Amino acid sequence: VYVEDAIYDEFVARSVARAKTRKVGDPTHHETDQGPQVSDEQFDRVMGYIEKGKAEGATLACGGKRVGDRGYFVEPTIFTEVSDDMTIAKEEIFGPVVCVMRFTDVDEVIHRANSGNFGLAAAVLTKDIGKAFRFIDEVRAGTVWVNCYNEFLSDMPFGGFKESGVGRDNGEYALELVHGDQVGHHPHLSNPPWNNAAAG
């Protein structure tokens, strides 16, 4: 998450407070906000990223530990003062880990957003519609949400750029993966051999 420097500290404080109130537990229970990781392999992967974040110098603002002694539950985890060259900023963690990074202006954040290897989705939260449209135009991501996140329509194409997949799901765009144009060609049809046959 890239956060403008002017509101960075407040954003982090509010995010940490919110993370600490999240209920981690059985995903079938209505009051649960966050369930477990899908397997021991993914649990170990997420915990490995957390350790790598600490080792590379990011600040652990909250979380970072296992929840309980059964299952694959991880505390909601927030890292601050994360630089773009850190592993937790460059790679996809697929776990309850957020990296909060500072930026100063739109040029900077667009450049940084486009510098990574992935481009599935992005979002911009702003009161400035001009900045929002510029972000949509210039950020190389398959979906760019404005003042919302993770909202979909059944006919809205979904897919990414770079290492975030090939093709699109949903709507008519998804048909391109299963429908191919067919071409028929015969080398003699443009000059049929009977045109060269002797008259008689």
Side-chain angles (χ1 to χ4, degrees):
V1 178
Y2 294 102
V3 179
E4 195 166 1
D5 192 62
I7 62 169
Y8 184 88
D9 292 337
E10 180 181 0
F11 182 92
V12 168
R14 290 189 181 195
S15 298
V16 168
R18 179 75 176 269
K20 289 180 177 179
T21 66
R22 288 177 62 80
K23 174 73 173 175
V24 180
D26 188 332
T28 65
H29 294 172
H30 181 70
E31 68 275 10
T32 298
D33 296 309
Q34 176 190 309
Q37 302 307 292
V38 70
S39 65
D40 58 344
E41 180 181 4
Q42 182 60 19
F43 173 84
D44 290 341
R45 184 175 187 268
V46 172
M47 296 305 293
Y49 274 115
I50 292 171
E51 291 305 311
K52 187 159 288 191
K54 292 189 289 186
E56 292 181 356
T59 300
L60 182 63
C62 70
K65 298 177 183 176
R66 182 177 197 151
V67 177
D69 56 4
R70 296 181 59 199
Y72 310 125
F73 300 95
V74 180
E75 290 179 332
T77 302
I78 297 175
F79 280 104
T80 62
E81 307 306 334
V82 178
S83 61
D84 293 357
D85 61 344
M86 292 181 181
T87 303
I88 57 173
K90 295 188 298 183
E91 299 184 10
E92 296 178 313
I93 299 175
F94 293 112
V97 181
V98 174
C99 302
V100 187
M101 298 172 281
R102 298 178 185 268
F103 77 91
T104 55
D105 58 47
V106 177
D107 290 331
E108 174 198 346
V109 75
I110 289 174
H111 172 73
R112 291 169 67 189
N114 286 333
S115 295
N117 295 329
F118 303 102
L120 182 59
V124 56
L125 306 178
T126 180
K127 295 179 180 178
D128 187 330
I129 194 65
K131 288 181 180 178
F133 279 114
R134 183 178 172 201
F135 198 82
I136 292 170
D137 287 341
E138 298 185 24
V139 169
R140 190 73 171 151
T143 301
V144 179
W145 289 286
V146 177
N147 294 335
C148 63
Y149 193 76
N150 212 31
E151 293 189 4
F152 296 94
L153 299 173
S154 61
D155 59 347
M156 186 173 79
F158 181 73
F161 296 113
K162 298 183 279 187
E163 293 182 26
S164 290
V166 177
R168 295 291 182 268
D169 287 332
N170 299 337
E172 63 181 289
Y173 299 90
L175 297 176
E176 294 178 4
L177 294 175
V178 295
H179 177 270
D181 294 321
Q182 185 180 36
V183 176
H185 171 72
H186 191 286
H188 297 299
L189 290 183
S190 58
N191 183 24
W194 52 84
N195 283 351
N196 300 321

